[in-house]
Amino acid sequence: MDDKKLRNITWISILFFCILLLPILYLTGMNRATGDDYGYGIYTRAAWIGTHSVAEVIKAMCGTVKGFYGGWQGTWFSIAVFSLQPEVFHDGAYVIVAILMLFLWIGSTFYLFRQILCRCMGLHRWSLILITVWFLIISIEFIPSSRSSIYWFNGCAHYMLPFAMCQMVAAWLLQYCREYKKSTFAGIFIFMTLLGGSNYQSALLALILAFYACVSVWFLMKDKRIFRLCIPIATELIGLAVSMMSPGNSVRAGEEFGFSVMKCIRTVVYSFYYAIRDIGVYGKERPLALVGLLFLFLIFIVVLYLQREALHIRHQGWIVLMLFCMYSAMQAPAIYAGVPVSGGVPNTNYQVFLLTASGILLLVADKAVCRMKKKWEGQTALRAFGCLIVAGLLLCAVMTLWNRSNIKSCTSYVALTYITSGQAADYKRQMDLQTRIMEGDGTDVVVPGINDVQGPLMHMPVTDHKDAYTNQVTGSFYGKRSVIAIERPKWIELYGDQYDN
């Protein structure tokens, strides 16, 4: 193995990654707004259609935040983003959702890994690309809910966007600890303040990252400048307090929602328990994700062995403990709330697990390579290194074959199956027809029914009950008095087959 071979392997990995993304990106043309997308976009769409004024849209956005703050939830930043879902501005604009979320996901991961691997550890750029590509493959392919991470704007805006912001904050914190630039501080300040109004997991993650930065720099270097981070910590806590004091929270979570010391203690204890439990769940439900982590560990060993000088990362025990505590803390908001959670919560748990597990494996790989270089020299070291890599690759191959059925749950496989079955094209025709009907004349609308089993896409169908939530928000979004769905064959019998017209 040399730099040239490493570069070739990296290009092959990039090609493989791009091939996996093809079916995921293909579905962007079939993706449409649904359910909550309509509910949060009612006033902003009316403002845009009526005036085409950005100022009026912002005014409507503030009104939406105010309404939901008092009646449903306090996450003011998320609600503001919800109200700007793409179909507010154009019926065909929802195709941008998957592209935008993948860009945020991939871009923020590369930015964070560049800070860690290149700026902090001095690894070569090809090592950075190889590691990040395989990490993204594991992350995207085995994410618990592709709907809340790629396709559904409402879920993505509440979970994927804040998670990407947390990754940017983590990278900026690493940079700020070295350089103390005002521009970096400004980025941290803005993002952490906004995260105070997002989901509680991301808000907690950003606070933990900032706290770790303050404690680490103070104990290692005694540099008081790091305490400037108390400003963004304070602004995020203020934003979080505003979110948590929302009258709407008690409506959504029940009257028992509130602060309790005993509940906090119980939450901390159970957070560690559920964190460990989830690792077992990943091994059972996503065994290939763990195989991917093993393969990533082998990549760590290769790129670290190719380094001319060993890294000798210090305080590894403390770093492992801090990473595990951060991963466990992601369980706390759901445990404390004690209410059913959406698909974005397990997504965040899984993503933080991958980040922390990769960090721990990187420390183990560094320790192993340091000992290997210290114990053996020349050809003896190469043979030992080669045996270790070959044994690891064989183990990965055996585990992959043993768990090959798990491939069917991969995001790309699910998307490809949805496309090749014809369901994706059929769903697009149905949604195009529903949109034409909703944009037509009349105030009481009848549409053909669409089932909610739409592969990786999110769909909350209009039902045969005009007072149902989806019916009401869909009708209000398009300015209709009522909307109701009837079975597709009956609709064709009454109105004719208009799917291809």
Side-chain angles (χ1 to χ4, degrees):
M1 177 66 70
D2 54 25
D3 291 341
K4 183 178 180 181
K5 290 180 180 178
L6 180 66
R7 187 165 60 250
N8 293 337
I9 292 173
T10 302
W11 277 115
I12 294 172
S13 300
I14 293 172
L15 178 62
F16 180 59
F17 179 52
C18 292
I19 292 172
L20 290 175
L21 286 180
L22 290 178
I24 298 174
L25 291 171
Y26 182 84
L27 287 180
T28 58
M30 287 72 175
N31 199 20
R32 294 300 300 271
T34 185
D36 290 336
D37 290 323
Y38 293 140
Y40 287 97
I42 292 171
Y43 299 114
T44 47
R45 184 179 192 272
W48 178 253
I49 295 297
T51 66
H52 281 80
S53 167
V54 175
E56 289 299 316
V57 171
I58 294 174
K59 183 179 178 181
M61 177 188 72
C62 295
T64 302
V65 173
K66 181 180 179 181
F68 279 95
Y69 184 85
W72 186 241
Q73 66 186 60
T75 49
W76 47 270
F77 173 64
S78 291
I79 296 171
V81 180
F82 293 164
S83 68
L84 301 177
Q85 66 99 343
E87 285 197 12
V88 163
F89 305 99
H90 191 278
D91 289 326
Y94 210 79
V95 297
I96 199 175
V97 173
I99 298 172
L100 176 62
M101 294 307 155
L102 285 172
F103 172 78
L104 294 173
W105 195 346
I106 295 170
S108 63
T109 303
F110 262 102
Y111 191 81
L112 173 60
F113 279 35
R114 179 171 174 266
Q115 285 293 331
I116 297 172
L117 299 176
C118 293
R119 297 293 180 87
C120 297
M121 301 178 62
L123 294 183
H124 193 272
R125 65 174 180 175
W126 290 105
S127 299
L128 161 69
I129 297 172
L130 179 62
I131 291 170
T132 310
V133 163
W134 278 102
F135 178 87
L136 285 168
I137 289 173
I138 303 167
S139 183
I140 294 173
E141 291 300 324
F142 299 102
I143 195 77
S145 173
S146 58
R147 295 177 178 181
S148 295
S149 59
I150 301 174
Y151 294 111
W152 185 34
F153 183 84
N154 193 273
C156 293
H158 196 43
Y159 291 99
M160 178 50 67
L161 173 60
F163 178 75
M165 292 169 67
C166 284
Q167 293 202 123
M168 295 297 294
V169 167
W172 285 332
L173 286 170
L174 289 170
Q175 185 175 352
Y176 187 72
C177 290
R178 298 192 310 270
E179 302 171 357
Y180 297 98
K181 287 185 176 180
K182 293 181 179 179
S183 57
T184 307
F185 180 84
I188 296 170
F189 174 81
I190 294 171
F191 274 30
M192 287 190 66
T193 301
L194 295 176
L195 284 168
S198 70
N199 73 82
Y200 295 147
Q201 284 179 297
S202 297
L204 180 58
L205 179 58
L207 289 172
I208 292 173
L209 290 169
F211 174 75
Y212 281 175
C214 291
V215 172
S216 300
V217 171
W218 174 249
F219 278 100
L220 293 177
M221 292 176 279
K222 303 295 183 183
D223 194 331
K224 294 182 180 180
R225 290 179 296 176
I226 197 63
F227 291 119
R228 295 172 187 168
L229 292 177
C230 290
I231 298 175
I233 289 175
T235 57
E236 180 179 334
L237 287 173
I238 292 171
L240 189 58
V242 171
S243 175
M244 296 177 72
M245 290 188 296
S246 161
N249 289 336
S250 59
V251 177
R252 182 171 187 174
E255 295 181 358
E256 295 182 0
F257 182 81
F259 179 77
S260 168
V261 176
M262 291 304 298
K263 206 172 183 180
C264 289
I265 296 173
R266 176 183 174 274
T267 297
V268 172
V269 173
Y270 274 92
S271 292
F272 289 101
Y273 167 75
Y274 283 113
I276 297 172
R277 185 207 62 175
D278 275 3
I279 296 174
V281 172
Y282 297 145
K284 182 179 180 180
E285 298 180 357
R286 297 173 183 80
L288 290 184
L290 301 187
V291 175
L293 284 175
L294 175 58
F295 184 71
L296 193 63
F297 174 69
L298 297 177
I299 295 176
F300 288 153
I301 291 179
V302 171
V303 299
L304 290 174
Y305 191 86
L306 289 176
Q307 285 287 100
R308 289 172 174 79
E309 296 182 3
L311 297 176
H312 298 292
I313 300 173
R314 298 182 299 163
H315 309 293
Q316 293 190 357
W318 282 107
I319 296 174
V320 170
L321 179 62
M322 292 164 70
L323 290 174
F324 181 72
C325 288
M326 183 170 68
Y327 159 62
S328 300
M330 294 301 99
Q331 304 282 342
I335 296 172
Y336 188 88
V339 295
V341 296
S342 64
V345 173
N347 279 356
T348 303
N349 291 341
Y350 176 73
Q351 289 171 300
V352 176
F353 164 73
L354 286 186
L355 285 172
T356 53
S358 299
I360 292 171
L361 290 175
L362 181 60
L363 295 175
V364 174
D366 175 66
K367 198 172 189 69
V369 170
C370 287
R371 289 191 175 185
M372 195 181 303
K373 287 186 175 182
K374 186 176 181 180
K375 187 174 182 180
W376 294 301
E377 295 181 359
Q379 292 300 317
T380 304
L382 286 175
R383 282 194 295 270
F385 170 74
C387 289
L388 175 63
I389 297 302
V390 170
L393 290 174
L394 287 174
L395 180 59
C396 288
V398 170
M399 292 176 66
T400 300
L401 289 173
W402 182 263
N403 297 287
R404 60 187 180 277
S405 61
N406 191 223
I407 294 175
K408 294 182 179 180
S409 65
C410 294
T411 302
S412 295
Y413 188 93
V414 172
L416 184 63
T417 302
Y418 184 57
I419 294 167
T420 55
S421 67
Q423 289 178 287
D426 185 57
Y427 175 67
K428 184 179 186 303
R429 289 203 317 274
Q430 293 182 71
M431 287 302 297
D432 287 345
L433 176 59
Q434 178 174 299
T435 301
R436 291 202 303 269
I437 294 171
M438 295 302 300
E439 290 182 334
D441 297 330
T443 56
D444 298 296
V445 180
V446 179
V447 299
I450 303 174
N451 70 70
D452 61 345
V453 182
Q454 298 300 338
L457 303 182
M458 181 68 175
H459 184 66
M460 300 168 66
V462 175
T463 71
D464 56 356
H465 299 285
K466 67 177 184 179
D467 294 328
Y469 168 75
T470 306
N471 295 48
Q472 291 183 336
V473 295
T474 303
S476 298
F477 184 81
Y478 286 101
K480 306 300 181 183
R481 184 170 58 192
S482 69
V483 57
I484 193 171
I486 59 176
E487 294 182 0
R488 187 174 174 183
K490 185 177 180 180
W491 191 91
I492 294 176
E493 180 183 338
L494 293 173
Y495 300 99
D497 190 352
Q498 302 179 33
Y499 285 90
D500 296 320
N501 297 331

